[in-house]
Amino acid sequence: MTLENLRKILKYKLCLVFFLLLPTLVFSITPMENYNSLVAGGDDPGFRDGAFNQARFNNPEGLAFDANGGRLFVADFGNNRVRVIDLDDGNKVGTLAGTGAPGKMDGTLAVASFNKPSALSFIPPDGLAVFEEGNASIRLINLKSQSVTTLAAAALWSMVYRPKDGEIYYTEIFNQCLKKIDLKTGKITTVFEKNALVPHPKALCLDGDKLYISDMDLPQVYRVVETPEGTPASLVAVGTGFHIQELAASGDKIYALQEGPIPLAEISPESKPVSLASSWGFPIDHESPYMDYFMDFQMNRAVGFVASPRESRKLFV
C-alpha cells in the first residue's frame, strides 16, 4: 500500500468515525477541546448561522478579535458577509453585516452590502475595518451605532490598526508600498514605497506598538521604525521565513504562515519550524506527510491568521 493511499484511508476513517459519533455525542462535543480543534464551519462551502459544527462559510479569509477576545470576526469572502463567532457562547456563529449579494451599500447593518471581504482589523472600542477585494475599498463597521460607512479606496493585502497613533496601516503589494490612514482626519500617508528590502510588502502584524512586515518573495521580516514625517521609515531585520503569507504575534513571538514544507514557523526571536500537536496529543512535525491536513491553504488567497488576546500562543487560522 502506498503512503498516499494510507493517507486517504486514514482521512476517510477519521471523518467517518466523527460523523457516526456525532448524533450520540452532540451534547458532549465542544469546540476547541483539543490541541488542534474546529472553531467553526465544515468541509463543504455554504452559508448557515448557528452552532459551531453546523455553521457554514464560503472561503473565509480575514480574521480579527475584539478587544477582550470574546468575539472572532470573519471575512466570509464567498458569501459577501462579515460573520462573528461568539467564543463565550459555544462558538455560536452569526452574521454581523452583509446581505449575501455583492454590493457597496452603506447604512445600517441590516441593509449594508459588501463585495468579497478579505481582510479585517478591529478598532477599539467598537469599530471594525473591512477591506473588500471586489470593491477595492476599506469600509468601517460601527458596532455601537450598528452602521457601515466607506473609509477609502485601496488595493491592499494586509491591514492592522495601531491604537498608539489611531491609524490603520496597510500593504499594497503591486504598488510596492506601505501606507497608513489617520482615522481622525482621513489623511493617507505613504510610510515607504519601492524599498529594495521589501519591494512587494505583503504581511503585517502588531506586537504591542511594534509593527512588523514581510515581503511577498524575500525571506526577511522587519520591524518598521518610523522616522520624522516626510522621511521614509527605517527597517530593522528580526528573522526570516519563506514566501510568507501572513504574520501574527503572540507571547513576545512572531509567527508566520508560509509556503513550502514548513507551513507554520516562528520568526522572532528566532527562526525555527513550529510542530503541531494532533488531537490525540502526539506531535505532527513539519516533515510529517500528515501536516497537509492541518495546515493547507492557497498562496494566492488571503488567510486569516490571528492570535488570541486571552491566551498566549493560541493561534487561529
Side-chain angles (χ1 to χ4, degrees):
M1 179 181 293
T2 67
L3 176 60
E4 182 61 28
N5 286 336
L6 177 62
R7 292 169 66 185
K8 291 179 180 178
I9 292 173
L10 177 60
K11 183 178 182 183
Y12 172 73
K13 287 185 175 180
L14 290 177
C15 290
L16 181 62
V17 170
F18 176 78
F19 285 108
L20 283 177
L21 291 176
L22 184 59
T24 58
L25 297 178
V26 67
F27 296 109
S28 62
I29 292 177
T30 58
M32 296 183 296
E33 61 187 357
N34 299 306
Y35 295 101
N36 292 291
S37 299
L38 173 68
V39 179
D43 290 336
D44 52 316
F47 171 72
R48 184 188 301 161
D49 288 334
F52 81 101
N53 58 326
Q54 298 175 2
R56 291 294 179 266
F57 300 86
N58 189 352
N59 292 326
E61 296 196 354
L63 298 175
F65 274 105
D66 65 5
N68 65 17
R71 291 178 296 175
L72 179 61
F73 301 100
V74 183
D76 196 351
F77 182 90
N79 282 321
N80 300 304
R81 291 175 167 101
V82 178
R83 315 284 291 285
V84 59
I85 303 172
D86 189 341
L87 302 181
D88 293 328
D89 187 17
N91 289 18
K92 185 177 181 180
V93 177
T95 296
L96 178 66
T99 64
K104 194 181 179 182
M105 176 72 72
D106 286 339
T108 65
L109 296 185
V111 303
S113 58
F114 297 86
N115 191 348
K116 299 179 179 178
S118 61
L120 301 175
S121 184
F122 186 71
I123 304 170
D126 46 30
L128 184 68
V130 182
F131 170 69
E132 314 165 272
E133 184 178 301
N135 288 324
S137 298
I138 300 174
R139 314 279 292 284
L140 291 179
I141 297 178
N142 188 313
L143 300 172
K144 185 175 181 179
S145 67
Q146 300 281 288
S147 62
V148 178
T149 57
T150 298
L151 176 63
L156 63 83
W157 178 272
S158 179
M159 65 178 176
V160 296
Y161 172 74
R162 188 161 73 170
K164 174 184 177 181
D165 43 28
E167 295 175 323
I168 294 174
Y169 289 77
Y170 61 94
T171 55
E172 292 191 337
I173 296 176
F174 299 109
N175 290 330
Q176 300 180 270
C177 60
L178 171 65
K179 293 183 177 181
K180 63 180 182 179
I181 303 175
D182 188 322
L183 293 185
K184 291 182 178 179
T185 65
K187 180 182 178 182
I188 298 177
T189 304
T190 298
V191 180
F192 68 77
E193 63 180 335
K194 297 181 179 179
N195 188 307
L197 298 178
V198 189
H200 296 99
K202 187 175 185 181
L204 290 174
C205 77
L206 276 179
D207 183 15
D209 291 331
K210 297 177 181 178
L211 179 66
Y212 294 87
I213 191 168
S214 67
D215 186 73
M216 181 174 68
D217 299 310
L218 301 182
Q220 199 72 50
V221 177
Y222 298 93
R223 179 165 61 88
V224 179
V225 180
E226 293 199 63
T227 52
E229 188 172 353
T231 59
S234 62
L235 300 174
V236 178
V238 298
T240 58
F242 182 79
H243 287 198
I244 294 171
Q245 181 86 339
E246 308 286 353
L247 294 171
S250 181
D252 297 323
K253 298 179 184 292
I254 306 299
Y255 297 93
L257 286 181
Q258 57 184 15
E259 188 179 6
I262 305 175
L264 179 61
E266 179 184 322
I267 299 299
S268 176
E270 59 180 316
S271 297
K272 63 180 183 180
V274 173
S275 294
L276 297 178
S278 74
S279 298
W280 302 273
F282 60 81
I284 306 290
D285 64 38
H286 67 280
E287 295 181 348
S288 169
Y290 303 108
M291 176 68 91
D292 293 347
Y293 298 127
F294 290 88
M295 302 293 292
D296 184 19
F297 51 86
Q298 299 178 12
M299 289 304 298
N300 62 342
R301 296 281 353 134
V303 181
F305 186 45
V306 292
S308 170
R310 293 178 170 178
E311 188 174 343
S312 177
R313 301 185 68 188
K314 189 170 186 178
L315 305 173
F316 290 70
V317 182

